[in-house]
Amino acid sequence: MTEQQRPPSARFTGDANPYGGGDPYADHRTADFPFARYADLADRRLGAGVIAANDEFFAQRENLLLPGRAEFDPEHFGHKGKIMDGWETRRRRGASAEHPWPAPDDHDWALVRLGAPGVVRGVVVDTAHFRGNYPQAVSVEGTSVPGSPSPEDLLADDVKWTTLVPRTEIGGHAANGFAVDVEQRITHLRVKQHPDGGIARLRVYGEVVPDPRWLSVLGTFDVVALENGGQVEDASDRFYSPATNTIRPGRSHKMDDGWETRRRRDRGHDWIRYRLTARSEIRAVEIDTAYLKGNSAGWASLSLRDGPDGEWTQVLPRTRLQPDTTHRFVLAGPATGTHARVDIFPDGGISRLRLFGAPTPDGAAALTARHQELGG
C-alpha cells in the first residue's frame, strides 16, 4: 500500500525523501479525512487569523492559514535562508555544550483566532515541503474567550485550555490529520510544535456555533450563512469547487470561489442541501452567479423542509438565471423550515445563496440551549 493510499486513520512519521525535482507534491503523504466535509473554521476568508507566535524566524506565521496548497520554489532563498511557504521557527539549542539538545518540554507556539467559533471535528497539520525541517510532534489546544482578546489576554494564567490534539509525532511532507472528539465551543487555538520546525498549512474543520445574543439583535439576517451557523449537508456534485463556497461571507471574487459542477450529459440536474442556523421563517432569497459567465446554472429553484423528516416544499419555482448576476426574490409570505435545497438545471453553478429571515421562537430557544451546552 502506497503512502497516498493509506486509510484515514493513518499517522505519518519520519522524514520524507529530499526533493528530487519535478512535481513537489508527487510524494506528498496524505489521506481522505472524513471530518473534512465540515467547513474550515480557520479559513482566512471567514475572518480567521494567526494573532501571535513566539518565533517566526524563517517563515511568517500568517502563511498557516493561506487558502490553497503551499507552494515550493527550490531556488527561492533570502537573507535568512530558504524561503518556505509556511510557518518556520529557528532551530532550538540546549542549555550548554554538555547538553546541546532541546529540553523535552521545549516547543514553539502560535495563537490562532478562528474565523467563526464552533465545535472542532478535525485538524490537519500539513507539513508540505518541510521534508527534514518539520516538528517532531505537534499538539493543539482550544479555548473559548468572548470578545476580541489580545495575545496577552489569551496567555494569562486564568485562561483554561482544553486539549484537542495531544502531543503526537508527525511526518514531514505530509497532511497529518487528527479527529477531535471534544464537545465544546472554541474561539481560539494554541498550536504547538515540539521542539521546533515548520508547518505549511493548518486546517480546522468543524461546525459553527454562533452567539444567539448577537443574532437576536440583528433581527432579519442570512439564516444559511456559514458565519451564522448554516451548513452544507450534501451536494450532487463537487467536481470543480466545494458547495460550502455558496454560503461563505461576501461576494465571490473569481470563478472558483463559487460552486460549479461538471457538464451533465444526462437528463438530470444538480443540487445542494443545507441545514439552516435554526428553524427559521424566510422572507427573501438571493442567488448570485458572480464570475460564472459561460457556466452559470440555467435555472434554479428553492425548497424548504421543516424537520429532518419533513416533506420538501417549493418556495421559489424554477426561475431563469442570468450569468454574473445577483438575483433577488421576495417571497409572497414567510416560509418556515430547518433545511433548504437549491436545485439548478441542468448543471453549471452559483456563487452564493442568501436566505434572509429570522429564527422562530423555538428555533431561537434551541440556539440558546446549544450555545450554553457547549460552554458559550
Side-chain angles (χ1 to χ4, degrees), residues 339-355:
H339 296 75
R341 190 187 73 222
V342 63
D343 295 271
I344 64 170
F345 304 88
D347 56 24
I350 61 174
S351 61
R352 295 291 188 270
L353 174 72
R354 306 298 187 206
L355 303 179

Side-chain angles (χ1 to χ4, degrees), residues 123-137:
V123 174
V124 174
V125 177
D126 195 341
T127 57
H129 317 306
F130 289 93
R131 295 170 178 268
N133 52 345
Y134 60 94
Q136 181 184 26

